[in-house]
Amino acid sequence: MVFALMRLAALTMAGAARDERAAQPRRLLELATLGGARALGLDAEVGALAPGRKADLLAVRFDALNLAGFDGGDPSSLLVYLGRPENVALVMLGGRVVKRDGHLVGVDVPALLARARRSIRAVRARAG
């Protein structure tokens, strides 16, 4: 989701300015990380790798076909314009691994999906 939002922001900025160079991918990455933490009042705890902050980390694989354009340039442009959730190899939250090798760790996905289906059915039933 974060990749799609960064891409939407970049394309919106470029369209509004009528200049495809108007968006600054590195700045968009900062807004998606530290900026998001600031907006939630959590910037003292998360949003950047620094001593005393929680170890939240996202590692991206650049060997996928959609990111094949990386040849030593600025990876922020690739992430903003071409990044997808399946490119995320590892996610750590508070120092705990929650996604490894592209798969959620400790999550029963079928059970989660069944719970989500029950929830939406209940919402629909209440809505009439």
Side-chain angles (χ1 to χ4, degrees):
M1 180 82 157
V2 72
F3 294 113
L5 292 173
M6 288 189 299
R7 187 168 27 263
L8 176 63
L11 295 173
T12 301
M13 292 169 71
R18 297 184 186 275
D19 180 358
E20 63 187 36
R21 297 164 299 162
Q24 299 172 3
R26 197 166 281 269
R27 176 72 176 126
L28 288 170
L29 280 172
E30 180 184 339
L31 288 170
T33 55
L34 185 55
R38 273 193 196 113
L40 295 171
L42 298 173
D43 53 311
E45 299 174 43
V46 298
L49 291 175
R53 294 188 185 192
K54 293 183 180 177
D56 292 352
L57 177 72
L58 183 135
V60 176
R61 294 184 58 133
F62 282 92
D63 60 352
L65 288 177
N66 66 302
L67 297 177
F70 182 68
D71 190 30
D74 185 359
S76 58
S77 292
L78 280 175
L79 290 176
V80 168
Y81 290 107
L82 301 172
R84 297 190 310 230
E86 58 266 28
N87 300 129
V88 177
L90 176 81
V91 176
M92 291 177 64
L93 299 175
R96 188 175 57 101
V97 175
V98 296
K99 184 176 183 180
R100 176 178 281 128
D101 298 324
H103 301 285
L104 294 175
V105 174
V107 175
D108 183 347
V109 174
L112 181 64
L113 293 174
R115 191 170 150 205
R117 283 191 293 275
R118 286 192 305 272
S119 176
I120 194 63
R121 287 181 191 132
V123 169
R124 285 183 182 149
R126 287 192 304 270

